[in-house]
Amino acid sequence: MSAQTVVYLFFLIIYLLILVAFNKARTKYAGGKVGEMINLILITTLLLFCSDYAQVLTGLFPDNVLFAVQVILRAAALAFLAFGGIRIGSD
């Protein structure tokens, strides 16, 4: 296992911890702006998780396909965070 794979696996573990923690917080703070922000963070983290998980599948797909998937998922995560933050902030 290469050092890059270990780093990506470490990131995946951190993403899972964030998802579990915010999912528990979502049940506690349902509704309102706090609930909306928690959902925003959950979806952004999930998209970043999927982006990094695509790198783990290196042996199954060509590198250019994996890179394209990573770029699309990261751009979607950042766009979702930006537009969701603007929408919540303008209310």
Side-chain angles (χ1 to χ4, degrees), residues 54-63 66:
Q55 185 65 31
V56 175
L57 303 173
T58 304
L60 300 175
F61 299 104
D63 288 339
L66 289 175

Side-chain angles (χ1 to χ4, degrees), residues 67-82:
F67 182 72
V69 169
Q70 274 188 314
V71 168
I72 290 169
L73 287 172
R74 286 186 185 273
L78 292 175
F80 184 79
L81 184 62

Side-chain angles (χ1 to χ4, degrees), residues 38-73:
I38 289 173
N39 288 336
L40 190 68
I41 291 170
L42 277 172
I43 293 172
T44 302
T45 305
L46 186 66
L47 286 170
L48 290 173
F49 173 80
C50 292
S51 172
D52 281 349
Y53 188 74
Q55 185 65 31
V56 175
L57 303 173
T58 304
L60 300 175
F61 299 104
D63 288 339
N64 58 352
V65 172
L66 289 175
F67 182 72
V69 169
Q70 274 188 314
V71 168
I72 290 169
L73 287 172

Side-chain angles (χ1 to χ4, degrees), residues 8-18 49:
Y8 277 114
L9 289 174
F10 180 69
F11 283 157
L12 294 177
I13 290 170
I14 290 175
Y15 286 140
L16 286 174
L17 290 173
I18 291 170
F49 173 80

